[in-house]
Amino acid sequence: MHDTKLSIGGCYSLLLILAVTIGLIEYGGLVDQQGSLLLTLSFWGAIIQGAVAVAAVTALVRAKWIASLRRELLALYPLLLLLALLFALLWPQLELFPWDNHPTAWLNRPFFMGRNLVSLVLTFIAGRQLALHSTQGTPFKDRYAVIYLAAFVLSQSLVGYDWLMSAAFPWVNTMFGLYFFTESLYAGIAVSGLAMLLYFRLRIKAAPEQTTLHLRDVGLLLFGFSILWAGLFFAQFLLIWYANLPEEVHFVTERLSHSPGRELCWLFLISLFLAPFVALLGGDAKGDLRFVSSISLLVLAGLFAERLFILLPAIPYHGGALLLYNGLIFVMMLLVLHSSERLLPQAPPERNEGQ
Amino acid sequence: MQNTSSTEKIEQDVLAAMSWPSRSYLACIFLAGLVFLGGMALWGRQIALGMGVAGISHPVGWGVYITDFVFWVGIAHSGTLISAVLYIFRAHFRTSFNRAAEAMTIFALMVAGLFPLIHLGRVWFAYFLFPYPNQRQLWVNFRSPLVWDVFAVSTYMLVSLVFFYIGLMPDLAIVARRRTGFTGKIYRLLTLGWIGSSQQWRHYAKLYFFLAAFATPLVASVHSIVSWDFAVSIVPGWHTTIFAPYFVAGAILSGTAMVITLVIPMRRLLRLETYIPVEHIESIAKILLLTSLIVSFAYIVEQGLAFYSGNLFEMEQFRFRAFGDYRLLFWIMVGCNSVLPLTLFIGRLRRNLAFLFVLSLLVNVGMWLERFVIVVTSLARDFDPYAWGKYTPSLTEFGITAGSFGLFFLLFLLFIKILPVLSITELKER
Amino acid sequence: MARQLFFDDQQTFLQQLEQLLKDGTPREQLDVRTPYHLSEVETLLAQPPSKLPLFALGGALAGFGGGFLLAALTSLDWPISTGGKPVVAVPPFLLIGYLMTILIGSLASFAGFLLLARLPRIEALVEEQDFDSRFIITITDEVAPCTTLN
């Protein structure tokens, strides 16, 4: 198994190949409806940035929470570069956005591309520094955790306001930024649930007590975030429903009045709130690998459904391309998780830290 | 882990605060009581003469009273945050603050609960707010955010009280053991016969966890509901989805500031330096910094998206906030809530208690002004320029506001003498 | 009738408790008091898990159903349309249900605690039994009524 692990150079080359492949498919005349790339980006942006952010938060507050998974999450940092590469591919596709015909001071091509690329590259640089400093245990690791989180919040807010909200321009929802970085953290926790699935059997032998405890942490966090997510979702829905202003309501009615919006809405409500909440309500379920890992997968699926729900009416897309891109990136993520020992050598010294 | 002498020392040190009051303490009690009574007298005058003695009128029907209400509910939040949320997150520095913070929650809610009543034109009909079967055959309007508020605040009060009492139970038993005579009997009665047997502890630990688990989402929802008093309307500047998380962050910001304001002097006067180390106060300062950043984020988003949307009313509202009649208050608010807390990125300042104390006072001022700016500016300038107006608070409103601070500090001072200010049981565990 | 052992520190107390159990003292004859909660005691005495979660869950469900129904049925009882909202307006009523979930859930947990921990305990109040700052193991000759397992 060890020979399948990626080295750092191999990882970056593979990323480049992946980006080029996606670019060729997108612009090689294979796909007539461009939009899959934006959908893919908005989904994976949340997952990858969120996974590193979860590691950053737990490191920063010196929590013992999921400490044994911190390295696996941090090892995903090369994928942050992939996001920037893929986003650069969006440049020729900006006519997807309704504001492209009448640009404003905020929404115009150069500024839109510029600020988003800068935030993605910044996130990558900060994430890389954070990962390297954490594993070496230098005194700067906290500083980089703060810098990463700032970049993360900026980047995910831009995802919310720029990539998704502006696709429904001039519809406005001020909570989108906060909602997206919260969702991103939720996705990051789901990734740690997946990492548990990969590593649990190995570690339960080495450190049984710690491993079961961290599995419980993942379960508890998933449970907590399901409630938090529901609260944030409800807070948006309630205001739009209550005020009933035509310029706000059209966004909801457009999506809920016909398929597939309606079904997608049920799907993500169940997989992001109802299912995690009910399944992990019991104390025993939180410490059960089968429950936690399947709920993690469900949460990621729900997140995907939610991105489709937001973007589908506004953006044309090609189903095959969408599946292919997401499949490729998913395999890439599993590979990186699997090679984390080689990508980030040395265990984090804060294993036994915490207060 | 602990031996008798050290547990003995913890008990003595913490309970030393409950000794016979000094003269300066009595002077403080007297002063706080006097200010409170003054506020009450002004309220009495308002009941007698009518709401005209307050400055609220058309178009600004919500003024200082509602500002005060939101402010005090916000102050209440950090108590539950520190005791429940940090308990769930297993942050051990909470043991330095949780008792004082929980007491703060209860007192702040008592004060906050007064303001909707003060704001009522005919306060003797206050009970109409509750859904009870009556001969008028009327029920409350459950679609109204004001009714959600009644439910939210009363739920919050009851749950906080239970949580406070449960946390106190073992400590009350310690006080009962160390006190003789009549007061000892009273304390003993309050413990319900707590002896710390393994049976009792088993269920106690579970209960504490459950109450914390219930209180955590409650904290988030109460201030969200307070924010929806504004946000479900269509008034520009109020109707915005970020209000709920923004208010919750603001509440925790003002609440942690108030915890710092109260704990730093308390620690010094009661000589509890060993039990409330500077590192723990530093952790609270970090929470203050975090929530300040969230609040700043919300300020930027609100302003930015008003201009993004191109909505004329929203743009004018936010221009008016920053450059209109209330601009001075707006900029003080930005300075106190967004700019000054940034100094907490510097570790030395985070550990400097004098600096923290001053900063926490300024954040309190800033947060009060934030509520004022939100409540008043949007009402002063809504859609129709013909209906625009200006609002200046009257002396009565200021007097009642001062009285509310008097009541809060009076209750807190009494608490210091009557109940153990730190959780002795949890300190022994530490 | 009963032997009492006092300990000042946690370590010695736990070792002694383990020793007693090893020596074959029946669990029912041991009554343990500690100055703070120790999960190790629960494990050693093999106490069954607390039934408190049932109270919490029952209270929460009752609260949610009750809160929602209170809002819905009172609205139907006096079906007046306000603010252009339907008579049974689900989103706001969910809020009432949610708040009542927390309220009734917490109060039911509290009541469950009093029931399970057998509080208020009159004999402790009358005899003025203290909550000691030491660890105490009481070994009774026969099972005391207050240590019945629940």
PDB file of all heavy atoms in Angstrom, chain B residues 149-160:
ATOM      1  N   ASP B 149     -40.821  36.853  21.422  1.00  0.00           N
ATOM      2  CA  ASP B 149     -39.928  37.422  22.429  1.00  0.00           C
ATOM      3  C   ASP B 149     -40.358  37.067  23.837  1.00  0.00           C
ATOM      4  O   ASP B 149     -39.529  36.727  24.681  1.00  0.00           O
ATOM      5  CB  ASP B 149     -39.962  38.947  22.295  1.00  0.00           C
ATOM      6  CG  ASP B 149     -38.595  39.488  22.016  1.00  0.00           C
ATOM      7  OD1 ASP B 149     -37.646  38.701  21.966  1.00  0.00           O
ATOM      8  OD2 ASP B 149     -38.473  40.702  21.853  1.00  0.00           O
ATOM      9  N   VAL B 150     -41.656  37.173  24.098  1.00  0.00           N
ATOM     10  CA  VAL B 150     -42.170  36.822  25.425  1.00  0.00           C
ATOM     11  C   VAL B 150     -41.782  35.389  25.749  1.00  0.00           C
ATOM     12  O   VAL B 150     -41.263  35.079  26.832  1.00  0.00           O
ATOM     13  CB  VAL B 150     -43.710  36.973  25.470  1.00  0.00           C
ATOM     14  CG1 VAL B 150     -44.265  36.427  26.774  1.00  0.00           C
ATOM     15  CG2 VAL B 150     -44.092  38.424  25.283  1.00  0.00           C
ATOM     16  N   PHE B 151     -41.991  34.507  24.777  1.00  0.00           N
ATOM     17  CA  PHE B 151     -41.649  33.099  24.998  1.00  0.00           C
ATOM     18  C   PHE B 151     -40.143  32.919  25.158  1.00  0.00           C
ATOM     19  O   PHE B 151     -39.689  32.188  26.037  1.00  0.00           O
ATOM     20  CB  PHE B 151     -42.150  32.260  23.812  1.00  0.00           C
ATOM     21  CG  PHE B 151     -43.560  31.792  23.991  1.00  0.00           C
ATOM     22  CD1 PHE B 151     -44.621  32.667  23.885  1.00  0.00           C
ATOM     23  CD2 PHE B 151     -43.830  30.465  24.295  1.00  0.00           C
ATOM     24  CE1 PHE B 151     -45.921  32.238  24.070  1.00  0.00           C
ATOM     25  CE2 PHE B 151     -45.122  30.025  24.476  1.00  0.00           C
ATOM     26  CZ  PHE B 151     -46.168  30.913  24.363  1.00  0.00           C
ATOM     27  N   ALA B 152     -39.384  33.597  24.304  1.00  0.00           N
ATOM     28  CA  ALA B 152     -37.930  33.401  24.329  1.00  0.00           C
ATOM     29  C   ALA B 152     -37.345  33.884  25.647  1.00  0.00           C
ATOM     30  O   ALA B 152     -36.588  33.173  26.308  1.00  0.00           O
ATOM     31  CB  ALA B 152     -37.289  34.143  23.164  1.00  0.00           C
ATOM     32  N   VAL B 153     -37.720  35.087  26.059  1.00  0.00           N
ATOM     33  CA  VAL B 153     -37.112  35.650  27.259  1.00  0.00           C
ATOM     34  C   VAL B 153     -37.562  34.891  28.499  1.00  0.00           C
ATOM     35  O   VAL B 153     -36.760  34.618  29.394  1.00  0.00           O
ATOM     36  CB  VAL B 153     -37.393  37.160  27.356  1.00  0.00           C
ATOM     37  CG1 VAL B 153     -36.872  37.716  28.662  1.00  0.00           C
ATOM     38  CG2 VAL B 153     -36.730  37.888  26.200  1.00  0.00           C
ATOM     39  N   SER B 154     -38.838  34.498  28.557  1.00  0.00           N
ATOM     40  CA  SER B 154     -39.253  33.770  29.767  1.00  0.00           C
ATOM     41  C   SER B 154     -38.643  32.364  29.800  1.00  0.00           C
ATOM     42  O   SER B 154     -38.266  31.882  30.872  1.00  0.00           O
ATOM     43  CB  SER B 154     -40.776  33.737  29.909  1.00  0.00           C
ATOM     44  OG  SER B 154     -41.391  33.574  28.681  1.00  0.00           O
ATOM     45  N   THR B 155     -38.521  31.730  28.631  1.00  0.00           N
ATOM     46  CA  THR B 155     -37.831  30.435  28.597  1.00  0.00           C
ATOM     47  C   THR B 155     -36.389  30.591  29.053  1.00  0.00           C
ATOM     48  O   THR B 155     -35.891  29.818  29.876  1.00  0.00           O
ATOM     49  CB  THR B 155     -37.825  29.867  27.157  1.00  0.00           C
ATOM     50  OG1 THR B 155     -39.164  29.637  26.757  1.00  0.00           O
ATOM     51  CG2 THR B 155     -37.053  28.572  27.067  1.00  0.00           C
ATOM     52  N   TYR B 156     -35.757  31.619  28.549  1.00  0.00           N
ATOM     53  CA  TYR B 156     -34.363  31.865  28.891  1.00  0.00           C
ATOM     54  C   TYR B 156     -34.200  32.076  30.394  1.00  0.00           C
ATOM     55  O   TYR B 156     -33.296  31.536  31.031  1.00  0.00           O
ATOM     56  CB  TYR B 156     -33.885  33.096  28.118  1.00  0.00           C
ATOM     57  CG  TYR B 156     -32.392  33.280  28.094  1.00  0.00           C
ATOM     58  CD1 TYR B 156     -31.525  32.213  28.302  1.00  0.00           C
ATOM     59  CD2 TYR B 156     -31.840  34.524  27.845  1.00  0.00           C
ATOM     60  CE1 TYR B 156     -30.159  32.399  28.270  1.00  0.00           C
ATOM     61  CE2 TYR B 156     -30.474  34.704  27.814  1.00  0.00           C
ATOM     62  CZ  TYR B 156     -29.642  33.645  28.032  1.00  0.00           C
ATOM     63  OH  TYR B 156     -28.289  33.831  27.999  1.00  0.00           O
ATOM     64  N   MET B 157     -35.123  32.835  30.950  1.00  0.00           N
ATOM     65  CA  MET B 157     -35.069  33.122  32.385  1.00  0.00           C
ATOM     66  C   MET B 157     -35.196  31.825  33.193  1.00  0.00           C
ATOM     67  O   MET B 157     -34.403  31.561  34.098  1.00  0.00           O
ATOM     68  CB  MET B 157     -36.214  34.074  32.733  1.00  0.00           C
ATOM     69  CG  MET B 157     -36.203  34.547  34.148  1.00  0.00           C
ATOM     70  SD  MET B 157     -35.000  35.861  34.325  1.00  0.00           S
ATOM     71  CE  MET B 157     -34.808  35.873  36.080  1.00  0.00           C
ATOM     72  N   LEU B 158     -36.195  31.023  32.852  1.00  0.00           N
ATOM     73  CA  LEU B 158     -36.443  29.798  33.630  1.00  0.00           C
ATOM     74  C   LEU B 158     -35.274  28.826  33.496  1.00  0.00           C
ATOM     75  O   LEU B 158     -34.805  28.275  34.501  1.00  0.00           O
ATOM     76  CB  LEU B 158     -37.742  29.132  33.152  1.00  0.00           C
ATOM     77  CG  LEU B 158     -39.019  29.804  33.634  1.00  0.00           C
ATOM     78  CD1 LEU B 158     -40.217  29.303  32.842  1.00  0.00           C
ATOM     79  CD2 LEU B 158     -39.241  29.514  35.114  1.00  0.00           C
ATOM     80  N   VAL B 159     -34.808  28.622  32.276  1.00  0.00           N
ATOM     81  CA  VAL B 159     -33.721  27.668  32.072  1.00  0.00           C
ATOM     82  C   VAL B 159     -32.452  28.157  32.771  1.00  0.00           C
ATOM     83  O   VAL B 159     -31.749  27.384  33.419  1.00  0.00           O
ATOM     84  CB  VAL B 159     -33.474  27.423  30.568  1.00  0.00           C
ATOM     85  CG1 VAL B 159     -32.253  26.552  30.346  1.00  0.00           C
ATOM     86  CG2 VAL B 159     -34.689  26.755  29.947  1.00  0.00           C
ATOM     87  N   SER B 160     -32.186  29.461  32.684  1.00  0.00           N
ATOM     88  CA  SER B 160     -30.997  29.993  33.354  1.00  0.00           C
ATOM     89  C   SER B 160     -31.097  29.820  34.858  1.00  0.00           C
ATOM     90  O   SER B 160     -30.104  29.520  35.520  1.00  0.00           O
ATOM     91  CB  SER B 160     -30.823  31.477  33.046  1.00  0.00           C
ATOM     92  OG  SER B 160     -30.693  31.680  31.682  1.00  0.00           O
TER      93      SER B 160
END
